[in-house]
Amino acid sequence: MNILVYPHEILAKPAEDVTDINQELITTIDEMTKTMYEAKGLGLAGNQVGLLKKIFIMDVAQKEGTNDLIVLINPLIVAKEGDVSAEEGCLSVPEYFAEVKRAERILVEAFDQTGKPLRFEAEGLMARCIQHEIDHLMGHCFIDRLSPLKRSLFRKKWSKIKGKED
Ligand code: NI
């Protein structure tokens, strides 16, 4: 599976609700999982692999084979509290990191890959990661969260990073 790189147009499109958890989706989740661990990411959203469905996977421990992998389908943040800034990166924006302000604690509703409804609180890195991935599902990259000044600095740096590859 290829990870789409910013500013790919699919990264800017909102994903649609998952209406059926079928074998095709389960296979896709398995492939996304392999791709995420290979890329050493904390999370991977549908948009990032060209799938415009509200689904993302996450493992903030980054340990393949343990039971820390979380699959969230049609996730929704139903409450949030506090503000905290910390550095973020993204598999779709390789080699670039920036401080992003996020809610400190969130209450999340979603379904897991078996269709079981979930409702849980998250904080710290997990809360940050969930907010980052839900942004992807709404067609936003963490770059969109930067101030206009930081975004213009990003564009300069990004054209250099991209230039290296050509
Ligand atoms: Ni990302």
Side-chain angles (χ1 to χ4, degrees), residues 128-148:
R128 175 165 298 276
C129 190
I130 291 170
Q131 291 172 84
H132 178 114
E133 300 311 328
I134 289 179
D135 267 3
H136 275 305
L137 300 180
M138 302 207 292
H140 300 301
C141 212
F142 80 112
I143 303 305
D144 305 339
R145 297 259 177 202
L146 304 180
S147 67

Side-chain angles (χ1 to χ4, degrees), residues 45-116:
N47 306 47
Q48 292 179 277
V49 293
L51 174 76
L52 281 172
K53 295 280 178 194
K54 282 188 189 157
I55 177 160
F56 75 81
I57 59 169
M58 167 176 92
D59 181 353
V60 295
Q62 286 181 287
K63 282 188 190 137
E64 192 169 7
T66 58
N67 287 324
D68 295 317
L69 182 76
I70 293 171
V71 178
L72 292 186
I73 294 171
N74 297 345
L76 205 61
I77 295 170
V78 293
K80 50 183 162 183
E81 194 178 64
D83 279 321
V84 62
S85 282
E87 197 165 73
E88 270 180 37
C90 178
L91 291 177
S92 292
V93 192
E95 295 182 58
Y96 182 79
F97 301 88
E99 289 243 329
V100 184
K101 196 157 109 181
R102 301 281 187 189
E104 200 173 359
R105 279 177 298 279
I106 55 174
L107 178 62
V108 183
E109 287 181 357
F111 295 86
D112 73 6
Q113 68 274 39
T114 67
K116 190 176 93 177

Side-chain angles (χ1 to χ4, degrees), residues 5-6 92-95 158-166:
V5 173
Y6 182 88
S92 292
V93 192
E95 295 182 58
W158 190 239
S159 60
K160 270 188 203 157
I161 292 171
K162 299 282 278 180
K164 264 196 315 198
E165 290 167 2
D166 296 339

